Amino acid sequence: MKIRFTLNGKNVVLESAPLKRLLDILREDYHLFGTKESCGEGECGACTVLLDGKPVTSCLVNAIHVNGKKVDTVEGLSKTKLGKMLIDCFDETNAVQCGFCFPGFFVSTYYYLLNDGDNDLEKIKKALSGNICRCTGYQRIFDSVKIACARKKVGE
Amino acid sequence: MQFNKPKDLNELLENLSISQKKNYFLAGGTDINVQIKKEFIKDGNFYYINEIDELNGIKRKNEKVHVGALTTYRELLESDTISEHFPFLQRSLTNFASPLLTTMATIGGNIANGSPTNDVTPPLLVLDAELELISVAGIRNVSLTSFFTGYKKSLLKKDEIIKGVVLSIQAENGYETLYKKVGARKTLTIAKVALAGLKKIKEGKIDEIKLAVGSLNEYPRRLDKLEEYLNNIMIRDINKNTIDEILSKEITPISDLRSDKEYRYRVCLNLILSFLGINH
Amino acid sequence: MGSVRKFDSKPKINGSWKFLDDYQSEDMIYGNIIYSKCHHGIIKDIHFPNDFNISEFTFVYAKDIPGENIVPEPVSDQLFLAVNEVFHYGQPIIGVAHPNKVTLTNFIKKIKIDYEELPAIIDIKECLDNEKNHFGREITIDHRTRDEIQNSWIRHHNVYYMPHQEQAYLEPQGVIAEYDKQDGIIFVRITAQCPYYVKSGVESMMGSAVNDVVIETSEGIGGAFGGKEDFPSLLAGICSLLSYKSGKPVKIVLDREDDIKITTKRHPARIEIESYTDPATKKIEKIDIDYRLDAGAYQTLSPVVLARGVLHTAGGYGFPDSFIRGRLFRSNTPPNGAFRGFGAPQGFAAMEAHIDGIAAEMDITTIELRKANIFNNGDEFPTTQKVTEENLIDCFNKVLEISDYQKKLKSYAQWNKNHKDKKGIGVSLGFHGGGFTGNGEKTLNSEIKVVLEKNAEVKIFVANTDMGQGAHTTLAQMFCEAIDHPFEKTKVQLPNTSKTPNSGPTVASRTIYIIGNLLKQLALELKKKYKFDKLESYIIEHNSEFPLELRKNYIQPTSVFFDEESYRGIAYKDYSWAACVNEIYFHADTYQIELIESWNVLDIGRVVNEQIALGQAEGGILQGLAYGLSEFFYKPGFGRMSGFTDYTLPTTLDIPKIVIEFIHTDSVTAKGLGEIPMDFPAPALRNAFLNATGIIIDEYPLTPEVIYKTIKEQK
Ligand SMILES: Cc1cc2nc3c(=O)[nH]c(=O)nc-3n(C[C@H](O)[C@H](O)[C@H](O)COP(=O)(O)OP(=O)(O)OC[C@H]3O[C@@H](n4cnc5c(N)ncnc54)[C@H](O)[C@@H]3O)c2cc1C
Ligand code: FES
Ligand code: FES
């Protein structure tokens, strides 16, 4: 079937099987390799993208779900002002280790900053609880997000 | 596998009425995609229902609130209507899957998948929720307590789908509440034991109590016998052994990779006793 | 202590850094492994589905192997592809490839293999409790000094069981092999820790069928923790053969389910300890340790894990009389392998629990007991190696201080009197020897290469990989800081066996300790030789002498001698030390342990990059805590896990506050850091539970089910 959607701000049309995973569409059809596959069943968040502005695990979203919607991936979001600021925050604390989970953390945090952005540690933990990281102990990620929350407030 | 995208509810119901094979509905897809991957689903008719308006939305009608089957967890967690009238329900849902899953996962999909471990059913059971089932023949309402009939079995007929959940606006009023989901970790976890409870206590006496459990039987259920024993009893007269005895007939936990039946049983008992304020 | 930023953070976050599956090429096809679903049996028949066009597939069997059907390992006993008999679930039988990934997956799902089933051991206790299952070399460390056991000494005897642990690197195993027919060269790109191990793997597989084998890692290695030490050799071998046969580049990326089911894990262990303590002095006078590992169906690198295990299992205590016996046991499960800690976490999990067990039995505090036995200057390891410092004592004192241990201990005892739930606090000690065991570094003879370019750019060529531990940043930093060269102009090159000398594997906490210090020496020698103030200005002034290539080999100090037969001598030149206090809250209704806070004091010598070191430590400590609390892979009667739904890793909501302090950071030497954080946290958690409840559990992890069972049995 033909699906039409907005990908990182651009309107696109694609011929796809209706159940094809959004994750595969991004990687195979658009060569957007920032969205990663780790578990393929919603358990890790490495494949997180925004669907109509809300975070989803793209390994569980089908082509047909995407039709008529807006998809934002790490590639698009990282070029925005907010995205760049957030990347700086992660960078400053040397939070990143292997990095495989980070595009996912980036997207979840991006959503959190846009929709809440409160400095509260418990809220931050909750917002990131769908993203698994095996390398870090998460502490540095929390530190970075706190810095980002503060900077976003100042920027506003 | 046959794939269909009906344009509206009528077309869907028409299709269902003549369908020969087993029907699957793609709502949020969080469950069905895993099933496909694990090859639990190999053949059947697939219907994409996620954009059928008639199945969507949280609406208040007089003393009832209708929650459409396609309502997502995120919508439930963010809904003002739910937080105003059903704060207990909303609190119960906070440990569902992860924030990423809540965007897609629907309440209809959760009930329909019929898993003994599904999170939404125990709290809905103590709220005396009703389900609206719809087919070409029309809508019928069934109480959630009678909906499940066995492991992954329910009253849902082959040509029917769940239209929504109906709650009475007073369902939580005046109760003390308990919801506990016990899992291997705090989030992204399948319940080993789930317990939902409502109680009204007056002057040391249980005026009313409702208890429902998940992950302990072939499907989530109310503890009718235990409720019967506890209703109208003075707390100080409650006999722990009687509770144990009744409970042992009402729940049938199993051992699996995730947990042990003895553990599940004991935790359920502990949680009930604690909810009743009984030392143990 | 510098805190240079990692050069690769930003591209990793924005998704442009390339991991294995992000590499594409035009005519690439997809490969996979068809593996045994039988634990032990004879292959009788293989049925392929008939609704596929078989001619589109490439198959490789054991009989197609041009070289040797043996994966090179410390003990080379594992086959690339099974011949007639399979010895474990997950054993590769056939390699298969097809241009379409989906078709390949569907095809594999429909293949049926018939086996004649043979007896199999898959249960951990069944394997480890039965002496008959012992195989391979037995190691003994005999430091017995007295024959008599005095009557007043208190005997404490216990058996401890430790589970599997899955590395759970987020990037699954993957490889791309490309056979160039013209030149007869196989090029392999892989997510792996040790490019030269992969090289010898592919060479073994291909034999004289190819002229050369070149291994290059992917830009990103999405976590490894030991899990990408030896399994990649097997995967690369099969993939290379598929490429050789099909003439196309072949990519294999394991699905998570397959990855978990067939790759290596941390060895389950059974450790039995018998000790005699003098109640007057609280000195443990005599100790006897029986250390057993479940190696799986083949030995592979398990003997090396065993060696490190027996060298660490006696803990940081100066026992005057000790006897340690280490053995591998065979089971019909995939070979277990490397995982951060390499035998030490099992050892400490048992030993540190044992110490608290002795204290409980003698009714003295665990602190008193540890203080009476902890390594003092002049004490001896069981190998007779002399302890020449008291840094472990410093770690211990410091951690008691920053955790406010004594005060908490008292106040929780009080609190627990009036509450059904319990609070508890526990301690543990640990250490980790840096680099390869014994004479290993001598044998390795690691070589590094540095090229100084005309524009003063420094290119570092080492085979050590950056799998997230920040090695490439820290290595560059060590070179730069030694001679004050700008960090921006110093870069570790992507490991490629045709350009990078063999500086050894990225294992054994050796990257900074051996290779980093070697780079630092090279930089200092350079400065001495050319007498420059700034390398940059020197290069400008003497531009015609550049580019200049320099090489240097690691030479093990002659003071280091280890007798591999008697297990006496200097097992490791330098040790990192650590002490830990964990605080827990026990929920009586659900039997769940909640982690509240974890305090950790580490002596890793000089800290090159504080933020990177803290990040490493935090991650390792969390893995260690999860090892003690929740991670297991096999349950008797219910088998092994198959994905992240069952194998639950800690999420952001499950973690305690983690406090870390490094001490003696002004030392000259930067010692090993990679593994020690994993070594010690689990027993401190177990001891905290003992402190909270008085209940002794000698089996890890302390799941609520195990706790409930223990409580029930005690009643
Ligand atoms: C990583 C992960 C974590 C999870 N965690 C939890 C958890 O914590 N708690 C929990 O309870 N569940 C959990 N689940 C299961 C699942 O997400 C939920 O059951 C979810 O609510 C299903 O809704 P859906 O809309 O995605 O269903 P779908 O996948 O779209 O459908 C699921 C099933 O319901 C049927 N169905 C859907 N809608 C209807 C309808 N209106 N009428 C009749 N039948 C219908 C479909 O035919 C299908 O069989 C988890 C799943 C994953 C992948
Ligand atoms: S790959 Fe989608 S959640 Fe793990
Ligand atoms: S940085 Fe490696 S998994 Fe998060």
Side-chain angles (χ1 to χ4, degrees):
Chain A
M1 65 177 286
K2 245 195 187 64
I3 58 161
R4 291 162 205 281
F5 63 107
T6 311
L7 178 56
N8 291 327
K10 274 202 206 98
N11 294 329
V12 295
V13 187
L14 178 75
E15 187 60 41
S16 162
L19 290 182
K20 186 165 184 181
R21 305 182 304 168
L22 173 57
L23 173 63
D24 296 328
I25 292 177
L26 295 172
R27 293 181 58 89
E28 290 169 12
D29 297 307
Y30 295 100
H31 290 231
L32 293 170
F33 294 120
T35 308
K36 308 292 181 197
E37 172 162 10
S38 178
C39 70
E41 40 186 74
E43 295 279 355
C44 76
C47 63
T48 308
V49 301
L50 298 185
L51 183 65
D52 270 354
K54 308 234 159 50
V56 296
T57 52
S58 61
C59 65
L60 295 180
V61 173
N62 306 102
I64 192 157
H65 281 124
V66 175
N67 191 28
K69 299 210 176 80
K70 222 172 87 194
V71 175
D72 291 287
T73 70
V74 63
E75 285 87 353
L77 299 174
S78 60
K79 295 197 180 88
T80 64
K81 200 172 144 218
L82 184 66
K84 285 187 191 142
M85 183 275 275
L86 176 56
I87 290 186
D88 284 338
C89 296
F90 281 131
D91 182 37
E92 279 164 34
T93 54
N94 270 342
V96 186
Q97 293 195 26
C98 84
F100 201 76
C101 67
F102 261 84
F105 270 98
F106 171 85
V107 175
S108 285
T109 311
Y110 187 97
Y111 175 78
Y112 178 71
L113 287 176
L114 261 189
N115 292 279
D116 190 326
D118 190 2
N119 222 330
D120 179 68
L121 181 62
E122 289 315 306
K123 275 192 179 178
I124 293 172
K125 284 184 172 182
K126 180 78 196 165
L128 301 182
S129 62
N131 295 84
I132 300 277
C133 175
R134 185 58 156 173
C135 297
T136 73
Y138 298 112
Q139 317 264 330
R140 239 132 262 284
I141 296 178
F142 302 152
D143 292 348
S144 315
V145 178
K146 279 196 199 159
I147 298 172
C149 292
R151 284 203 193 145
K152 188 179 166 258
K153 257 211 182 108
V154 173
E156 269 162 6
Chain B
M1 231 156 22
Q2 175 83 32
F3 194 86
N4 309 277
K5 188 188 172 192
K7 68 177 191 304
D8 57 19
L9 187 59
N10 276 337
E11 189 182 315
L12 170 68
L13 299 176
E14 291 288 333
N15 277 339
L16 293 182
S17 69
I18 51 168
S19 156
Q20 300 295 322
K21 288 192 198 155
K22 190 160 167 45
N23 299 319
Y24 294 99
F25 306 106
L26 183 59
T30 59
D31 188 54
I32 217 155
N33 274 300
V34 177
Q35 306 234 12
I36 294 172
K37 185 168 178 240
K38 300 210 161 146
E39 286 189 287
F40 295 145
I41 300 177
K42 283 186 179 150
D43 196 24
N45 280 324
F46 250 83
Y47 298 92
Y48 178 66
I49 61 167
N50 207 33
E51 284 162 40
I52 292 182
D53 284 342
E54 294 92 327
L55 303 178
N56 223 327
I58 302 170
K59 289 171 205 118
R60 176 161 177 191
K61 285 185 203 147
N62 304 320
E63 288 304 288
K64 304 267 180 191
V65 170
H66 290 248
V67 180
L70 290 176
T71 308
T72 65
Y73 268 83
R74 185 175 286 283
E75 285 162 345
L76 286 167
L77 288 164
E78 291 172 359
S79 153
D80 292 336
T81 310
I82 302 293
S83 79
E84 187 187 341
H85 300 293
F86 308 104
F88 158 72
L89 177 64
Q90 208 169 44
R91 269 198 315 277
S92 310
L93 305 181
T94 50
N95 283 334
F96 170 83
S98 85
L100 307 176
L101 271 288
T102 60
T103 307
M104 296 301 288
T106 67
I107 184 169
N110 201 327
I111 297 170
N113 92 1
S115 159
T117 64
N118 90 61
D119 279 355
V120 80
T121 303
L124 287 180
L125 280 171
V126 295
L127 296 177
D128 293 318
E130 284 192 354
L131 295 183
E132 287 181 311
L133 310 180
I134 188 167
S135 68
V136 276
I139 296 182
R140 61 176 179 136
N141 281 37
V142 301
S143 79
L144 186 57
T145 44
S146 60
F147 180 67
F148 294 110
T149 55
Y151 179 72
K152 297 220 166 193
K153 284 206 185 85
S154 71
L155 295 179
L156 197 71
K157 293 194 191 127
K158 226 181 119 236
D159 62 347
E160 267 179 334
I161 63 162
I162 300 175
K163 181 168 181 293
V165 179
V166 188
L167 291 162
S168 153
I169 215 130
Q170 301 298 335
E172 287 188 19
N173 240 347
Y175 289 99
E176 287 174 61
T177 62
L178 166 83
Y179 177 75
K180 184 87 187 164
K181 172 180 177 181
V182 181
R185 54 184 171 183
K186 289 204 179 126
T187 187
L188 270 174
T189 191
I190 299 171
K192 297 171 180 176
V193 176
L195 177 69
L198 298 185
K199 66 175 183 190
K200 276 185 188 159
I201 300 202
K202 266 195 213 126
E203 290 155 12
K205 194 178 111 213
I206 299 180
D207 226 22
E208 198 187 352
I209 189 157
K210 299 178 188 181
L211 296 167
V213 293
S215 304
L216 297 170
N217 294 299
E218 292 185 319
Y219 49 89
R221 58 169 286 181
R222 283 277 286 269
L223 301 176
D224 302 315
K225 292 269 162 8
L226 192 57
E227 287 179 15
E228 208 173 286
Y229 167 65
L230 291 171
N231 269 322
N232 290 312
I233 198 170
M234 292 300 290
I235 301 251
R236 59 162 192 270
D237 294 340
I238 295 176
N239 183 332
K240 269 190 276 185
N241 296 335
T242 312
I243 292 184
D244 194 353
E245 208 172 291
I246 299 172
L247 193 65
S248 68
K249 288 182 195 126
E250 279 203 299
I251 65 173
T252 49
I254 57 156
S255 296
D256 56 18
L257 203 49
R258 273 175 219 125
S259 193
D260 301 337
K261 58 177 184 233
E262 298 82 4
Y263 170 82
R264 286 185 156 119
Y265 181 83
R266 184 63 202 217
V267 168
C268 179
L269 180 63
N270 288 348
L271 293 174
I272 291 171
L273 293 175
S274 288
F275 183 50
L276 296 170
I278 298 173
N279 274 337
H280 57 101
Chain C
M1 280 188 283
S3 265
V4 167
R5 302 235 191 113
K6 292 188 181 177
F7 68 94
D8 51 1
S9 292
K10 289 190 175 187
K12 279 176 174 173
I13 305 166
N14 71 27
S16 60
W17 201 246
K18 280 170 116 174
F19 292 86
L20 198 276
D21 200 17
D22 306 340
Y23 289 83
Q24 304 288 87
S25 77
E26 282 231 323
D27 55 345
M28 194 168 77
I29 64 173
Y30 298 91
N32 213 333
I33 298 174
I34 297 166
Y35 58 81
S36 166
K37 308 239 160 124
C38 164
H39 297 295
H40 184 198
I42 312 276
I43 301 168
K44 282 288 161 204
D45 215 344
I46 300 173
H47 308 277
F48 293 111
N50 46 23
D51 46 349
F52 288 81
N53 184 350
I54 292 285
S55 67
E56 290 171 5
F57 293 84
T58 305
F59 297 93
V60 297
Y61 298 84
K63 64 172 168 44
D64 300 322
I65 294 175
E68 258 195 287
N69 188 7
I70 284 286
V71 186
E73 293 267 12
V75 171
S76 301
D77 57 352
Q78 185 185 12
L79 308 179
F80 281 108
L81 294 165
V83 181
N84 288 317
E85 191 172 350
V86 288
F87 294 92
H88 63 85
Y89 184 102
Q91 180 158 17
I93 301 171
I94 310 168
V96 54
H98 187 272
N100 185 301
K101 201 159 60 175
V102 180
T103 312
L104 180 68
T105 312
N106 292 338
F107 176 71
I108 293 176
K109 279 179 182 165
K110 289 190 173 169
I111 295 173
K112 295 242 156 13
I113 303 183
D114 300 334
Y115 304 91
E116 179 192 329
E117 300 230 11
L118 297 170
I121 297 167
I122 55 162
D123 185 77
I124 297 172
K125 286 187 181 165
E126 190 188 335
C127 165
L128 290 171
D129 286 348
N130 188 345
E131 305 242 352
K132 281 199 194 123
N133 299 325
H134 158 55
F135 72 150
R137 182 189 161 193
E138 172 173 336
I139 300 174
T140 48
I141 307 179
D142 190 348
H143 194 311
R144 281 177 291 195
T145 54
R146 50 187 77 165
D147 305 325
E148 277 166 35
I149 292 164
Q150 297 187 13
N151 281 338
S152 63
W153 292 355
I154 294 175
R155 175 174 184 265
H156 191 67
H157 175 226
N158 241 326
V159 183
Y160 305 88
Y161 289 94
M162 276 60 65
H164 291 98
Q165 190 178 21
E166 160 63 30
Q167 292 87 354
Y169 33 70
L170 275 217
E171 180 199 28
Q173 303 269 2
V175 58
I176 300 168
E178 193 167 354
Y179 174 57
D180 176 345
K181 205 170 175 182
Q182 207 120 46
D183 298 332
I185 295 175
I186 296 236
F187 176 78
V188 171
R189 186 177 299 285
I190 192 158
T191 171
Q193 289 172 239
C194 315
Y196 276 91
Y197 284 4
V198 177
K199 184 170 157 72
S200 56
V202 176
E203 282 168 354
S204 165
M205 171 67 118
M206 299 310 300
S208 54
V210 296
N211 300 326
D212 201 4
V213 173
V214 176
I215 315 294
E216 183 168 294
T217 69
S218 43
E219 206 171 26
I221 297 172
F225 317 114
K228 292 176 184 167
E229 176 168 339
D230 68 344
F231 188 82
S233 308
L234 179 115
L235 201 64
I238 296 171
C239 195
S240 298
L241 187 55
L242 280 168
S243 176
Y244 177 77
K245 196 161 169 199
S246 65
K248 300 244 166 67
V250 179
K251 182 198 267 186
I252 302 181
V253 174
L254 292 190
D255 180 74
R256 176 62 58 184
E257 183 174 339
D258 294 329
D259 191 309
I260 286 198
K261 281 179 165 169
I262 74 175
T263 65
T264 63
K265 313 264 168 287
R266 184 187 303 293
H267 297 74
R270 175 194 189 277
I271 301 178
E272 184 171 355
I273 307 179
E274 183 182 10
S275 62
Y276 291 88
T277 310
D278 183 344
T281 60
K282 303 185 178 73
K283 190 92 188 127
I284 300 167
E285 294 290 344
K286 191 171 173 59
I287 195 141
D288 192 322
I289 305 176
D290 180 17
Y291 180 104
R292 306 178 183 181
L293 296 178
D294 173 353
Y298 297 105
Q299 289 193 50
T300 65
L301 55 63
S302 297
V304 189
V305 178
L306 181 71
R308 189 174 283 273
V310 295
L311 289 166
H312 285 75
T313 187
Y317 306 101
F319 301 126
D321 178 308
S322 56
F323 183 80
I324 302 165
R325 177 182 197 198
R327 282 172 296 171
L328 297 178
F329 282 60
R330 191 205 301 268
S331 65
N332 296 96
T333 63
N336 292 307
F339 192 161
R340 197 179 209 170
F342 223 67
Q346 292 94 319
F348 294 132
M351 192 63 208
E352 291 299 309
H354 193 78
I355 295 287
D356 273 44
I358 298 175
E361 183 161 336
M362 294 177 57
D363 206 15
I364 57 174
T365 72
T366 68
I367 303 300
E368 279 174 275
L369 185 65
R370 280 193 175 76
K371 288 214 159 139
N373 292 281
I374 193 168
F375 272 152
N376 272 292
N377 198 346
D379 279 348
E380 279 183 2
F381 285 88
T383 52
T384 68
Q385 177 173 3
K386 282 259 183 313
V387 178
T388 55
E389 53 191 332
E390 300 198 338
N391 295 9
L392 182 57
I393 299 180
D394 298 339
C395 290
F396 189 35
N397 288 334
K398 188 81 197 173
V399 83
L400 294 177
E401 177 199 320
I402 64 169
S403 62
D404 212 354
Y405 176 86
Q406 295 294 358
K407 203 172 125 206
K408 291 204 168 100
L409 190 71
K410 278 200 199 96
S411 82
Y412 295 164
Q414 201 55 39
W415 192 90
N416 287 345
K417 281 183 191 154
N418 317 313
H419 293 86
K420 190 168 73 168
D421 289 353
K422 305 287 173 208
K423 293 182 182 182
I425 190 158
V427 300
S428 67
L429 305 176
F431 65 82
H432 206 91
F436 262 40
T437 301
N439 313 318
E441 291 295 342
K442 196 190 279 172
T443 322
L444 270 180
N445 188 25
S446 299
E447 182 178 331
I448 59 168
K449 178 174 109 184
V450 170
V451 174
L452 310 175
E453 297 287 355
K454 272 191 187 314
N455 61 0
E457 202 185 319
V458 175
K459 291 184 175 154
I460 298 173
F461 293 85
V462 293
N464 307 89
T465 52
D466 192 324
M467 45 210 170
Q469 82 283 41
H472 287 183
T473 300
T474 314
L475 288 174
Q477 194 187 340
M478 287 179 86
F479 183 92
C480 295
E481 283 182 358
I483 54 168
D484 195 17
H485 189 68
F487 177 71
E488 306 72 49
K489 291 205 140 182
T490 315
K491 212 161 172 260
V492 178
Q493 308 295 303
L494 197 63
N496 173 314
T497 57
S498 71
K499 301 174 193 153
T500 322
N502 189 353
S503 55
T506 319
V507 300
S509 309
R510 65 185 292 280
T511 304
I512 300 309
Y513 173 61
I514 302 284
I515 305 305
N517 287 319
L518 197 59
L519 269 168
K520 182 175 154 186
Q521 277 171 31
L522 187 137
L524 291 172
E525 283 168 18
L526 194 69
K527 187 173 169 125
K528 205 167 158 195
K529 184 166 168 199
Y530 296 105
K531 302 192 178 58
F532 54 77
D533 181 36
K534 287 265 190 276
L535 178 62
E536 266 185 302
S537 355
Y538 182 87
I539 295 181
I540 294 170
E541 283 157 30
H542 305 79
N543 215 260
S544 61
E545 294 168 27
F546 294 87
L548 183 67
E549 182 184 307
L550 306 153
R551 286 175 185 253
K552 188 168 171 61
N553 286 71
Y554 178 76
I555 297 170
Q556 189 158 329
T558 46
S559 61
V560 178
F561 177 78
F562 189 71
D563 182 349
E564 309 270 352
E565 282 311 308
S566 67
Y567 261 63
R568 288 190 176 228
I570 314 275
Y572 306 95
K573 190 174 145 295
D574 291 293
Y575 290 86
S576 300
W577 309 101
C580 171
V581 168
N582 282 335
E583 183 184 335
I584 61 124
Y585 184 98
F586 176 62
H587 295 267
D589 275 352
T590 57
Y591 310 96
Q592 287 168 309
I593 294 176
E594 184 173 337
L595 300 170
I596 305 296
E597 193 156 352
S598 176
W599 293 268
N600 305 271
V601 175
L602 289 90
D603 169 14
I604 54 162
R606 195 168 76 83
V607 175
V608 181
N609 187 317
E610 189 179 20
Q611 284 188 343
I612 291 182
L614 283 169
Q616 273 291 291
E618 283 165 13
I621 287 162
L622 185 57
Q623 285 176 352
L625 290 168
Y627 180 54
L629 186 67
S630 49
E631 290 185 21
F632 66 98
F633 174 69
Y634 163 82
K635 178 171 165 181
F638 299 95
R640 296 156 69 90
M641 293 178 172
S642 60
F644 283 173
T645 309
D646 297 324
Y647 195 86
T648 46
L649 304 166
T651 72
T652 53
L653 294 173
D654 300 295
I655 59 170
K657 187 170 171 214
I658 299 175
V659 180
I660 295 162
E661 205 170 307
F662 296 117
I663 61 168
H664 297 303
T665 53
D666 53 354
S667 322
V668 187
T669 313
K671 300 188 289 189
L673 159 66
E675 294 174 277
I676 188 164
M678 169 75 226
D679 287 353
F680 56 81
L685 181 159
R686 177 263 184 204
N687 292 342
F689 174 74
L690 170 59
N691 169 248
T693 61
I695 297 166
I696 291 193
I697 293 186
D698 294 325
E699 199 169 311
Y700 293 84
L702 279 75
T703 62
E705 285 78 8
V706 168
I707 293 174
Y708 174 61
K709 214 166 96 197
T710 311
I711 291 175
K712 210 174 107 191
E713 278 162 11
Q714 281 183 2
K715 271 186 183 163

